[in-house]
Structures are given as C-alpha cells and as structure tokens.
Amino acid sequence: MASYLYPPSKTHQPLPQDDPSYSSNATYSSPSLSSPSPKFESKFSPYSSPPQTLYDPMTPDPSHPHHAHYQTHRLADTTRKRRIRILKLVSRLGTLGLALYGVASQALTLEKYLTTRNIIRDGRDPWAKDTYLWPTILLLSTSALTVLVSLATIVSYLFSGVKGANRVSSRAGVPMTVTENLAHLAVWIATAIGYKLGKTGSDLWGWSCDPKADAIQEIFPEVNFSFFCGVQTGSWVVSLAQVVLVAVTVAVWAYAWRRERRRKEVRRSMGVANGQGLGVGMEGYGA
C-alpha cells in the first residue's frame, strides 16, 4: 500500500541524516524570506542602496561628483544667456526703429493726400483718378501695432529691468511667444507683399513714382512727387527689413527655448536639489 502512495523516484535522494556533515542545529532559510533581487528592488526596500546626495548649487560642494560638471554647464549657460539678452535688445530696438519709420512715412504721405486732394487746376486734382488708399493704410496699421508692442517692451526695460521686459514679451511662456512672433512674421510678410502688389499707379506710392505725376509737378508745387516716391520706396525696403528682423526675433526665442530645455535636462541628469542651479521660471527663458 505504501508503494502506491509513495512511488519510488528514479534517483535516490539521500536524507539529510545520511550526510556526515549534517547537524541538527543547522538552519535553512526559507525561499519566501530570501532577499529580493536587485532587479526588482523597490526604492522603499530596506535592501536598496541609500539615495545619492543631491547637489545643491546654493551650497556648492567641490567634492560632490557633479560639482565640476555643473560648473562647466553653468559657465556655458551664462554665455548663452548674455548672448540671448543682446540679441533680444537689438531685435527690439531695431523693430521699433523700423516701425517708427513706417508710421511716419505713411502718415506723412496720407496727410499730404488728404490736404491736397481737393485742389483742382486745369480740370484735375494732383492725384490719380479713383485713388485707393488700402496699401498705405495696411502698412501704417501694421507699423503702428509693432510700435505699440515694441514700446511696451522697451518701457518695461527702463522701469522693470530685464525680467519686466520678458514678462511683457513672454506672458504665456516661450512656446506661446514663439507662436506669437511667427504670427507677427506672417503679418509682416503679408503686409510687404500687399504693399508691393498695391503699387498699380492708382495708389499713393505708384502715382508718386509715375511719369504722369512728374508731368503735372509744375501745376501742383504743393506736392513733391519725387520726394514722396522716395519716402514710400523706403517704406517698402523697410517692410522687407522688418520681415528679416522679425524672423531673427523668432530665431532668438527659439534659441532661448532650446536653452531652457537644455537647462532642465542638465538639472534632471545631475539631480540638482530643489530645482536650483541653472534656474527655473521665467528667468530661465533667456532673460
């Protein structure tokens, strides 16, 4: 009956008592109580290694393994930060200057037209028949909007410093600011193209440069057609320069965004304590 309950195994397994080195006092660890494999260790496990000390830039420790790495990136980031500040200031001042020229030139031309359009000599007025004004108003409006935005940023520089200027120009963060600058760039491209396409001879710019206007210059000395031709041609060149400058501004903000992403990667890789070190917040965007 025992043979049916306990069939013999193929190989004989000796009992512990058969081993001469067997001791009745020997203890055997249970498989269920063995220490966990390092591969499956929990960070709360008592067997896990102690956490690495975070590097705190506020109290730099030269003996910390991340100290030299952090200092290298800190110096490189300071150089990038200074470069971004200079580029932003140049782009802001340049954009403001070009926009002021656009406002002044178009306002001067429009004012001359409005004050002389009712002068009739030899059965005609100084301007083209059925003159349309939309190219002039388009460039004037775009330039005025750019002046307002640029002035707000420059005034923030004067009264609130660099951080104040960046709060004005990056109210919704760098990604949104890049998007806004791309929209600004698209507006200037459309304005430059529209201003050029509107030069058909029935607009103020086209008529001022038309030989027909030169033919009646002596009849209407109140309007210096060659002067207004040069002024509005300059406005066209300025609109192209504005497109280039706004494109540079977009590139600067994109560079600032890339710098901030790099700073976050460095902080994450070094385990910088409390988010300190290379900076967090709005000042991190190339302020």
Side-chain angles (χ1 to χ4, degrees):
M1 181 175 180
S3 62
Y4 289 99
L5 294 178
Y6 305 102
S9 59
K10 294 182 180 181
T11 58
H12 174 68
Q13 300 294 334
L15 297 176
Q17 294 83 346
D18 298 337
D19 188 354
S21 61
Y22 170 76
S23 174
S24 61
N25 296 326
T27 59
Y28 296 90
S29 59
S30 173
S32 61
L33 300 179
S34 60
S35 60
S37 172
K39 181 178 180 181
F40 302 100
E41 279 186 0
S42 169
K43 62 179 180 180
F44 302 106
S45 173
Y47 300 99
S48 60
S49 58
Q52 185 179 7
T53 303
L54 297 179
Y55 180 73
D56 188 359
M58 306 305 294
T59 57
D61 181 12
S63 62
H64 196 280
H66 288 156
H67 178 75
H69 183 58
Y70 169 79
Q71 294 299 330
T72 300
H73 281 282
R74 181 173 177 272
L75 292 175
D77 183 74
T78 301
T79 301
R80 287 191 290 267
K81 182 178 182 179
R82 186 182 304 110
R83 189 178 303 156
I84 289 172
R85 282 184 175 179
I86 294 174
L87 290 174
K88 281 184 179 180
L89 180 60
V90 170
S91 65
R92 285 161 178 165
L93 291 176
T95 300
L96 177 61
L98 295 177
L100 284 173
Y101 178 86
V103 169
S105 63
Q106 299 308 296
L108 181 63
T109 304
L110 187 60
E111 186 271 339
K112 179 59 67 174
Y113 168 77
L114 294 176
T115 56
T116 60
R117 63 178 177 172
N118 294 322
I119 299 176
I120 306 297
R121 293 177 187 151
D122 291 347
R124 62 160 303 148
D125 62 77
W127 303 96
K129 184 179 180 180
D130 299 327
T131 300
Y132 53 81
L133 305 177
W134 69 262
T136 301
I137 295 175
L138 175 64
L139 184 55
L140 177 62
S141 302
T142 306
S143 299
L145 179 62
T146 302
V147 166
L148 291 177
V149 175
S150 300
L151 276 179
T153 305
I154 298 299
V155 169
S156 298
Y157 260 123
L158 298 177
F159 292 97
S160 303
V162 175
K163 292 183 180 180
N166 285 321
R167 279 194 297 269
V168 172
S169 58
S170 56
R171 296 173 301 279
V174 169
M176 183 58 66
T177 303
V178 173
T179 303
E180 291 175 356
N181 279 281
L182 286 173
H184 192 195
L185 176 62
V187 168
W188 268 109
I189 291 175
T191 299
I193 294 175
Y195 191 67
K196 180 65 175 178
L197 293 178
K199 186 184 178 183
T200 62
S202 295
D203 63 305
L204 300 184
W205 180 25
W207 176 255
S208 299
C209 299
D210 197 302
K212 297 177 183 179
D214 293 335
I216 62 173
Q217 180 64 77
E218 294 182 359
I219 304 176
F220 299 98
E222 298 87 353
V223 184
N224 189 339
F225 291 110
S226 63
F227 170 77
F228 285 102
C229 176
V231 166
Q232 294 176 96
T233 301
S235 298
W236 156 247
V237 175
V238 163
S239 66
L240 294 179
Q242 194 73 270
V243 169
V244 174
L245 195 55
V246 175
V248 170
T249 303
V250 173
V252 171
W253 277 104
Y255 182 56
W257 189 10
R258 182 175 177 273
R259 170 188 171 238
E260 178 61 18
R261 290 172 60 87
R262 174 59 178 163
R263 285 149 60 95
K264 290 180 180 179
E265 291 174 359
V266 171
R267 287 199 307 268
R268 192 181 303 113
S269 65
M270 294 191 301
V272 176
N274 302 323
Q276 301 290 337
L278 295 179
V280 293
M282 186 58 63
E283 66 273 15
Y285 294 115

